[in-house]
Each structure stands twice: as structure tokens, then as C-alpha cells.
Amino acid sequence: MKLLEGKVALITGASRGIGKAIAIRYAQEGCNIAFSDVRRDENMELCEKELLALGVKAKGYASNAASFEDSEKLVETVANDFGGIDILVNNAGITRDNLLMRMQEKDWDLIMDVNLKSVFNLTHACQKIMLKQRSGSIINMSSVVGVSGNAGQSNYSASKAGIIGFTKSIAQELGSRNIRCNAVAPGFIITDMTAQLPEDVRKDWEKKIPLRRGGTPEEVAKVCVFLGSDLSSYVSGQVINVCGAMNC
Ligand code: NAI
């Protein structure tokens, strides 16, 4: 029996990167996948194709996770199309790094909307379905810098720390209805997001990691399989670092 056989997962920002790796790994475990991204483009179509080839039901939706209205509509549509939502992975996230001195108000607001408000939007919309089902697993993508902070990323770190507070609160609020909520805090993972960094900054990060390398999206996805499945049936309100001991 596969670990997520017959379940339905909704994963935000999953046309590429960590979100896509979670979608693929979940599908390999028999999970039907609804995923969103800002637009329907070639990445979304490719991801949809790769998921369907794994023999599960899969569909990509263009939806802005930062929009409350979009998120409500998305959850309603997915619930109709798939007949429920067992696992919500709030993965969508972006960076607008700068020193505080140079940070503009719009960069603060954008990061809060895309990284933090999105988690509220989707969880708020999904709770009705999960409450009715009396089960659910919510996984929120935080970051090690949400735990430790990082110079030049005050907006991003604050949004990721906010996710941790939200996660622990929801775990307490919805636990009695058999709904679990956990956060994953990846360290330095090799995706398009980290590819934006200059070569010397990337090398510097890698030197500081005890495992001496960046992680792969698949390594984050494996932890999300654990949190989405019954393997973690008594795990809720936790933050699991996936960082090669960078943050310990
Ligand atoms: P990525 O940039 O490769 O992929 C992010 C995806 O989210 C993209 O497909 C993008 O279009 C989508 N997205 C952006 N804004 C969106 C919105 N408003 N609505 C819907 N989708 C949206 O990034 P990556 O590296 O895969 O990151 C995924 C998550 O993991 C993010 O939350 C990020 O903050 C977090 N993370 C990543 C780390 C890394 O080292 N790559 C480390 C720690 C956390």
C-alpha cells in the first residue's frame, strides 16, 4: 500500500521547484494532486503531464495565493473537482531581499502578502472542508531564516517566522477535529529561487552547511510525505528543519 493512496493534496506554487517535487513525490505515493501557480504556462502544463503519467488524477490551476478571493475560489473548485482535500501544502513563496536601509514599503508588503497572507488565505478556505471531513494535514513552507533570522532578508524572515506562529496556533485550534498542522523549514535548497544568488554567495552558504552541500527539492518532498501521511499521525504543531544541520 502506498503511503498516500487515494488522498487528495492541494499544493500552492507547484509548477516548479520544491512544490513540484512535493507533487511528484506525493503522486508516486498514490496521491491525487491539485496544484496552483500564478499562471498557466509551460511549467504548469509540463508538471500536469508528469503527474498524469504517474497514474493519478492531477490538475493545475492559475490562482494567486496572495489573493483571499482567488484562494476561496480555488479551494471550492478543487473540492468540487476532486471530492475533498486531505492535505494542504502552503508552498508558494518569493524573495525580495535587501538591507532594511534600502528596503521599500512595497517589498515588505509584497512578501507579507505572498508568503504569509497566502497561508492564512488557503488554510482559512480549506478548514471548512477539513472540519467536515474531521481530518486533514496542513503543511506550511517556512524557512530556517524564519527561525534564525538573516541579514538582508528581514521581510522574508519575518514572513517565515509568522508562518511558524500561525502553524502552532492552528495546530492548537484544530487539533480536536483531527486536523494536524506543521511547518517545514528548509535550509539552502537548489531551486530557481537560490539560483538568483551570485555564485560567491552560494559557495559561501555551502561552506557553512555541515553536510557541505545544498539540499534538493526531493529531500524536502520526502519530509512532506512523512507529514502528509499517517506516519506522522501524532505529530502536530512542529517545525521540521531540512537543512543539513545548518540550523542546529
Ligand atoms: P521557486 O521560485 O522555484 O518556486 C516557487 C513557485 O511559487 C513558483 O512556481 C512561483 O511561480 C510560485 N508562486 C510565486 N508566487 C505565487 C503566488 N502568489 N501564488 C501562487 N504561486 C506563486 O521557489 P522554491 O525554492 O521552490 O520555494 C518554494 C517554497 O520554499 C517557498 O515558500 C520558499 O520561500 C521556500 N523555501 C525555499 C528555500 C530554498 O532554498 N529554495 C529555502 C527555504 C524555504
Side-chain angles (χ1 to χ4, degrees), residues 100-168:
L100 183 59
M101 191 184 259
R102 296 199 200 110
M103 192 175 292
Q104 296 184 13
E105 185 187 7
K106 67 175 173 39
D107 294 332
W108 176 270
D109 290 343
L110 180 69
I111 290 298
M112 288 302 151
D113 283 349
V114 175
N115 293 5
L116 183 56
K117 188 174 172 228
S118 63
V119 178
F120 160 74
N121 291 342
L122 272 303
T123 308
H124 187 269
C126 275
Q127 72 167 335
K128 293 165 225 155
I129 294 162
M130 291 181 170
L131 284 172
K132 238 188 248 161
Q133 292 170 179
R134 287 190 91 80
S135 71
S137 174
I138 301 164
I139 302 167
N140 297 324
M141 207 50 72
S142 179
S143 165
V144 288
V145 307
V147 180
S148 63
N150 190 29
Q153 286 197 305
S154 57
N155 52 356
Y156 183 79
S157 302
S159 72
K160 295 298 185 181
I163 286 177
I164 294 173
F166 182 81
T167 301
K168 289 174 185 269

Side-chain angles (χ1 to χ4, degrees), residues 65 93 127 150 161 173 188 198 213 215 223 235:
Q127 72 167 335
N150 190 29
E173 209 171 299
F188 189 86
R213 62 175 178 88
V223 175
V235 180

Side-chain angles (χ1 to χ4, degrees), residues 8-66:
V8 175
L10 170 58
I11 308 169
T12 64
S15 290
R16 65 171 200 227
I18 294 172
K20 180 177 179 181
I22 297 168
I24 299 279
R25 197 67 187 74
Y26 272 25
Q28 288 167 345
E29 293 296 341
C31 193
N32 297 312
I33 308 290
F35 69 97
S36 72
D37 215 302
V38 271
R39 63 187 65 85
R40 182 160 194 97
D41 59 8
E42 63 277 16
N43 284 340
M44 183 176 278
E45 273 163 22
L46 180 65
C47 184
E48 213 174 59
K49 238 197 216 161
E50 289 177 35
L51 290 168
L52 290 170
L54 291 166
V56 296
K57 182 169 175 173
K59 192 162 181 213
Y61 300 83
S63 178
N64 177 6

Side-chain angles (χ1 to χ4, degrees), residues 233-245:
S233 52
Y234 204 53
V235 180
S236 193
Q238 304 307 305
V239 183
I240 303 191
N241 289 6
V242 187
C243 63

